[in-house]
Amino acid sequence: MTKSDGMNYAPKGKPNPVVGPGEFTIAAVALDHGHIYGMVNGLIEAGATLKWVYDRIPTRAEAFARTYPQVKIASSEEEILADPQVHLVAGAAITSERCALGLRVMDAGKDYFTDKAPFTTLEQLESARAKVRETGKKYAVYYSERIHVEAAVYAGQLIEQGAIGRVIQVTGFGPHRLNAPSRPDWFFQREQYGGILCDIGSHQVEQFLFYAGCKKAEVLHSKIANYNNPDYPELEDFGDAALVGDNGATQYFRVDWFTPDGLGTWGDGRTLILGTEGYIELRKYIDVARENSGNHVYLVNREGEYHVNVSGQVGYPYFGQLILDCLHRTENAMTQEHAFMAAELCLRAQQDAIRIER
């Protein structure tokens, strides 16, 4: 796991299989983003059997096979889609190509698990909604900053237990280190990556809907800018937005590419959740100048003040739930409506954003 580079950040947890060997077979297709490793780690730890990998660049598939020596390198995407043993295809394609891959996967009778952001346009979202209705297959999304962070999982459990009462406001900060020389060309092409609010903003919107219990929300305002990267004119290095949910809860979030080199990890991701009876702060990846470890949860409520590091204590239940959802056609990991609503809101925030030109 690379702490300095968010693009290659791939959490590993403890094995907690919900199925036996061969009961749930997966494949990896399109390795354009390093998140594919975290996605596959989570599924394998939950009991999935990794059978295939395919990428249009053979060296990427070969590197993947060195990490997962049990995998077979397919000669084509079609070879994987034609395999009746494959239940689910995981992909981390170029962002603008994720929807098209998902449509092909669902047409082949398989469930799809994509890296975020799942779309770059509202038209792609609508085509995916239609394909889900047509095929009954899943279009699952790897919103990793909640489902693959133990502090974020634990916060959801605290809220469900009523630890802070009704959630009325969620504030999120998603700073990332740019590492521009290590990024692929598509990362700097607006049409391909979708914009900062569409991309890393998708994490923030999904967390708001989840923690506040919103089915829908409205984007009140949003802004984007390129403050410090003139060599990459289509990059947006800053974005923020404010939303209000259908239950009255509100959100503000900020995302950026300004993590300084002195920080011990790729981004000081934080979430603050205000309830009617207390509040929670998550320091997900580092506790600055105190501990170079993540998963710090701070809770204040009527009973007192609490701090706990939940690393290795909570696990990542999403992946086992997703496998069982695929097998039983349930929606316990994340509903399709929720995954698509988070995508829609970040797309609308991006589409309507005011661009700051200074």
Side-chain angles (χ1 to χ4, degrees):
M1 179 163 55
T2 305
K3 290 199 70 175
S4 63
D5 181 2
M7 189 163 183
N8 294 304
Y9 184 72
K12 291 184 178 179
K14 300 175 182 177
N16 186 23
V18 299
V19 290
E23 292 181 18
F24 189 81
T25 300
I26 65 170
V29 174
L31 315 180
D32 294 278
H33 199 294
H35 281 171
I36 190 66
Y37 287 87
M39 298 162 70
V40 169
N41 287 346
L43 289 167
I44 290 175
E45 289 159 9
T49 299
L50 175 63
K51 183 176 180 180
W52 293 107
V53 63
Y54 173 74
D55 190 86
R56 67 184 184 279
I57 300 175
T59 53
R60 286 205 299 228
E62 291 163 4
F64 186 88
R66 288 193 291 273
T67 299
Y68 306 102
Q70 73 273 33
V71 77
K72 294 193 289 186
I73 298 177
S75 60
S76 66
E77 177 187 306
E78 291 73 23
E79 184 175 10
I80 292 172
L81 297 184
D83 185 349
Q85 290 186 342
V86 174
H87 293 87
L88 176 143
V89 173
I94 293 171
T95 315
S96 59
E97 299 174 7
R98 289 172 185 170
C99 179
L101 173 58
L103 300 184
R104 296 194 298 273
V105 168
M106 291 187 288
D107 275 336
K110 306 178 190 311
D111 292 312
Y112 180 53
F113 183 34
T114 181
D115 189 18
K116 67 77 217 162
F119 312 104
T120 54
T121 69
L122 289 166
E123 291 75 19
Q124 291 175 2
L125 169 61
E126 290 311 310
S127 68
R129 280 179 164 145
K131 188 62 69 176
V132 166
R133 290 192 297 268
E134 174 192 336
T135 64
K137 295 302 176 182
K138 295 183 183 296
Y139 195 111
V141 183
Y142 182 59
Y143 292 115
S144 57
E145 290 189 18
R146 182 178 66 80
I147 66 173
H148 222 168
V149 175
E150 286 184 287
V153 175
Y154 186 60
Q157 295 171 353
L158 288 174
I159 291 166
E160 185 177 12
Q161 295 163 11
I164 60 170
R166 172 191 169 198
V167 173
I168 56 174
Q169 215 265 342
V170 178
T171 306
F173 301 97
H176 287 59
R177 179 172 285 128
L178 183 57
N179 280 336
S182 69
R183 300 282 177 176
D185 290 343
W186 64 264
F187 179 85
F188 301 101
Q189 304 301 316
R190 172 66 175 74
E191 186 176 342
Q192 290 186 293
Y193 80 91
I196 192 169
L197 298 178
C198 168
D199 179 21
I200 52 179
S202 63
H203 289 298
Q204 302 298 325
V205 174
E206 191 278 330
Q207 288 173 92
F208 168 56
L209 295 177
F210 178 78
Y211 291 135
C214 302
K215 296 293 186 184
K216 297 181 180 180
E218 176 186 357
V219 179
L220 299 178
H221 65 78
S222 54
K223 303 188 295 294
I224 54 175
N226 182 334
Y227 282 120
N228 199 45
N229 289 278
D231 292 342
Y232 304 102
E234 293 189 38
L235 176 71
E236 296 156 7
D237 56 23
F238 175 91
D240 70 0
L243 289 79
V244 60
D246 54 359
N247 60 4
T250 66
Q251 178 189 36
Y252 170 80
F253 73 83
R254 185 202 79 215
V255 287
D256 65 74
W257 292 102
F258 287 110
T259 293
D261 290 343
L263 189 73
T265 188
W266 53 267
D268 184 12
R270 299 197 187 195
T271 304
L272 293 92
I273 308 165
L274 176 64
T276 54
E277 299 176 19
Y279 61 89
I280 296 168
E281 180 183 351
L282 309 179
R283 301 182 188 179
K284 294 181 179 178
Y285 309 112
I286 194 169
D287 200 354
V288 173
R290 289 166 51 89
E291 293 186 39
N292 193 26
S293 64
N295 291 306
H296 293 271
V297 179
Y298 292 85
L299 165 67
V300 182
N301 62 10
R302 292 177 176 177
E303 280 69 52
E305 309 166 5
Y306 307 92
H307 166 230
V308 57
N309 185 324
V310 297
S311 292
Q313 306 301 311
V314 180
Y316 309 114
Y318 171 87
F319 299 94
Q321 291 170 347
L322 176 60
I323 288 172
L324 295 177
D325 283 345
C326 291
L327 291 174
H328 303 146
R329 312 319 295 172
T330 50
E331 285 196 315
N332 295 313
M334 182 184 297
T335 68
Q336 190 66 76
E337 178 184 10
H338 176 91
F340 282 166
M341 181 53 59
E344 177 178 340
L345 290 167
C346 72
L347 288 167
R348 293 194 183 281
Q350 184 72 51
Q351 174 182 273
D352 298 337
I354 297 169
R355 184 174 184 90
I356 300 169
E357 301 284 359
R358 288 178 189 163

